[in-house]
Amino acid sequence: MSEKQNQGYLNVEIEAILEKKGADHFGFADLEPHQAELRDYYGADWDAYPRAISFAVNFPAAVVEQLLDAPTHTYLYYYDVLNHRINDIALSLCTFLAAKNYRAFPIPASQRQNADKLSGIFSHRIAARLAGLGWIGKSGSLIHPEVGPRLRLGTVLTDAPLQTGHPLANGCGRCKVCRDVCPAGAIKGVLYHEGQPLEDRLDVFACDRYLQEQRLSFGKRICGLCIAACPYGK
């Protein structure tokens, strides 16, 4: 079996696991061309993982739609349910890859490094964009062409020799719905460009302050208006 055939067969095996475990969308990303940028933001820990398996589970659209009226505990409940499913899928992939003597690291579905750095240990959105699952919207969310931002993402980093996909064209155009609906005024309405500083597009601290206010009034950090309002997936 040639190296290319072996890569293709490995992709097929992983796709079968993803489908069986309930992933709705998935793809494979080549991280090597972006290694310097990723190292600047996330450190050198991931240099040993040149590829990423990116997958997503759809959020119940009707549950997200309710956020246009007010925060709901139903949304928070399914947010946790989806995170548990994503982490379970990621662990299954790691077990499979380890059995084939490949390195694999599951990125937690949802986490913060600390109070000052509001991002996680690695970007699910960047992996998903490079894998061709969608593009990064003006809100900072991953926008899938069919379901928009109404999904939760998972990522497994690996050194397995996978066949990889390509990013999609950005479909946001002149739309500024997410900017106009943002109660924190955090979304600036700027199109995403590779290598662009996040602060050019999003005031993450304004978003964080608003979520803290929601915790005081509602009991939990919740908003999601930009997700509910996005025209894609409605």
Side-chain angles (χ1 to χ4, degrees):
M1 183 183 293
S2 69
E3 182 180 354
K4 187 172 182 180
Q5 287 175 320
N6 183 56
Q7 290 174 341
Y9 187 66
L10 189 58
N11 279 56
V12 170
E13 289 184 293
I14 291 172
E15 288 169 357
I17 294 171
L18 288 162
E19 289 177 347
K20 183 178 180 180
K21 298 292 289 186
D24 294 304
H25 318 280
F26 43 81
F28 306 89
D30 182 4
L31 304 180
E32 283 193 284
H34 312 275
Q35 193 173 67
E37 179 187 349
L38 292 171
R39 187 185 300 122
D40 285 344
Y41 202 76
Y42 298 104
D45 290 348
W46 314 123
D47 287 0
Y49 303 91
R51 281 162 289 279
I53 303 167
S54 177
F55 58 94
V57 179
N58 290 342
F59 218 110
V63 173
V64 176
E65 200 73 19
Q66 289 184 330
L67 296 177
L68 290 170
D69 298 322
T72 72
H73 287 284
T74 306
Y75 174 82
L76 290 171
Y77 175 81
Y78 283 107
Y79 187 96
D80 288 338
V81 168
L82 266 59
N83 280 351
H84 285 304
R85 175 178 292 185
I86 286 165
N87 289 332
D88 179 59
I89 293 171
L91 286 175
S92 295
L93 292 176
C94 287
T95 300
F96 168 79
L97 291 166
K100 291 186 173 290
N101 296 316
Y102 296 120
R103 295 174 62 127
F105 192 100
I107 303 300
S110 183
Q111 82 287 317
R112 288 170 59 168
Q113 292 191 51
N114 52 53
D116 295 324
K117 194 167 187 178
L118 303 179
S119 62
I121 59 174
F122 192 88
S123 174
H124 294 292
R125 295 166 186 173
I126 288 177
R129 185 186 77 83
L130 294 176
L133 267 64
W135 62 90
I136 295 178
K138 295 176 182 178
S139 65
S141 295
L142 191 282
I143 311 296
H144 187 276
E146 295 175 5
V147 300
R150 297 164 187 81
L151 43 70
R152 297 289 299 153
L153 295 169
T155 308
V156 171
L157 304 180
T158 183
D159 62 356
L162 300 168
Q163 292 181 352
T164 56
H166 304 282
L168 301 181
N170 193 307
C172 288
R174 296 182 178 180
C175 177
K176 294 183 178 179
V177 168
C178 61
R179 182 202 67 177
D180 295 341
V181 79
C182 179
I187 300 170
K188 301 179 181 181
V190 176
L191 278 172
Y192 169 86
H193 297 290
E194 191 169 309
Q196 175 190 55
L198 178 61
E199 56 267 24
D200 287 358
R201 297 176 284 114
L202 187 68
D203 185 341
V204 294
F205 294 103
C207 178
D208 188 59
R209 285 193 297 272
Y210 179 77
L211 292 175
Q212 293 284 40
E213 292 170 3
Q214 289 292 91
R215 173 181 281 171
L216 294 175
S217 60
F218 183 73
K220 296 286 185 179
R221 291 169 56 89
I222 181 174
C223 181
L225 278 169
C226 58
I227 296 173
C230 180
Y232 277 96
K234 272 190 172 294

